Amino acid sequence: MSPAGGTMKGTFRPTINLGNSVIGVSILAMPYCLKSCGVLLGVLLLILSAFLTTWSCNMLVKAAWVVRRMSYESLAQTAFGKQGKLCVELSIIGLNIGACIAFFVIIGDLAPPIVATTTGVQWSPGFLRAFTLVVLAVCVALPLALLRNVDNLSAISMASLAFYSALIIQLLFLSLSNFSSGAWWSNLILWKWDGILKCLPIFSLAFACHP
């Protein structure tokens, strides 16, 4: 195998996982953010988030290259000492816990009606929600979390990216008739300050690698 082919094969799985981490569910929240902030303000915030993310990543890479550190935690320890490393580790733990809670809240809101419609069960909504979350946590999230090599998640990441692509294509086809009629123009909101506070965290995470 040529060196180029070996490099391509070696970087494929990490690239797929990175792409899934960057895209994630943020792409599903963009319509809500653009509606809450307005199209023009939302696009400007999205561009600003992309610039700040790129700028901060470049600074981290350059700093890690200069001091020869391979992890975010060790870089923080070099720059700020043990207290800085502790703060970074606590921040990462908080981010992971917060993202996990957010994902389970979303699943708890969306999955039970689908399960009830598909299976025809007549359980109470509270019990069905708890049962669905426990099953997904034990049978899906826990086995994936116990993988020692994150490269093995590439198959799940590819499935997620395929789902996002299919959803975007479906939304485009569904919106063609409304877009061609021009009826949406009267309801178009370009600038809305009220939605900044609730949408800015989503925009900030749009280009960042969340869990």
Side-chain angles (χ1 to χ4, degrees):
M1 180 181 295
S2 63
T7 303
M8 182 67 68
K9 184 177 180 180
T11 58
F12 177 73
R13 290 184 177 182
T15 302
I16 291 297
N17 291 332
L18 180 63
N20 183 49
S21 298
V22 173
I23 297 175
V25 297
S26 298
I27 192 173
L28 305 179
M30 287 301 106
Y32 167 78
C33 293
L34 294 178
K35 180 180 178 181
S36 300
C37 293
V39 176
L40 182 58
L41 180 58
V43 171
L44 291 177
L45 290 176
L46 195 60
I47 295 174
L48 178 63
S49 300
F51 170 76
L52 293 178
T53 301
T54 304
W55 181 56
S56 61
C57 288
N58 286 332
M59 286 198 304
L60 288 174
V61 171
K62 290 179 181 178
W65 176 261
V66 170
V67 299
R68 297 295 189 271
R69 293 294 182 267
M70 300 299 294
S71 67
Y72 190 27
E73 299 88 345
S74 60
L75 180 61
Q77 183 175 5
T78 302
F80 304 106
K82 294 183 178 180
Q83 292 79 6
K85 180 182 179 183
L86 179 61
C87 290
V88 167
E89 291 175 342
L90 292 177
S91 299
I92 294 175
I93 292 174
L95 175 63
N96 291 332
I97 293 177
C100 184
I101 293 174
F103 286 144
F104 272 96
V105 168
I106 295 173
I107 293 174
D109 292 337
L110 300 179
I114 298 175
V115 173
T117 304
T118 305
T119 60
V121 295
Q122 301 296 328
W123 297 342
S124 63
F127 179 79
L128 181 59
R129 177 189 176 98
F131 178 79
T132 303
L133 291 178
V134 170
V135 170
L136 292 176
V138 174
C139 300
V140 178
L142 182 59
L144 294 177
L146 294 178
L147 290 176
R148 300 180 65 90
N149 187 3
V150 294
D151 288 347
N152 295 328
L153 293 174
S154 59
I156 303 297
S157 299
M158 290 183 64
S160 299
L161 293 176
F163 169 76
Y164 297 141
S165 302
L167 179 62
I168 292 175
I169 294 174
Q170 182 182 10
L171 291 177
L172 286 176
F173 276 108
L174 291 176
S175 61
L176 284 179
S177 59
N178 189 26
F179 184 79
S180 60
S181 65
W184 55 274
W185 184 257
S186 59
N187 298 323
L188 182 65
I189 301 175
L190 296 178
W191 202 280
K192 188 177 180 181
W193 289 107
D194 298 341
I196 288 184
L197 292 180
K198 58 183 178 182
C199 295
L200 187 58
I202 302 176
F203 282 126
S204 302
L205 201 61
F207 294 97
C209 299
H210 54 80

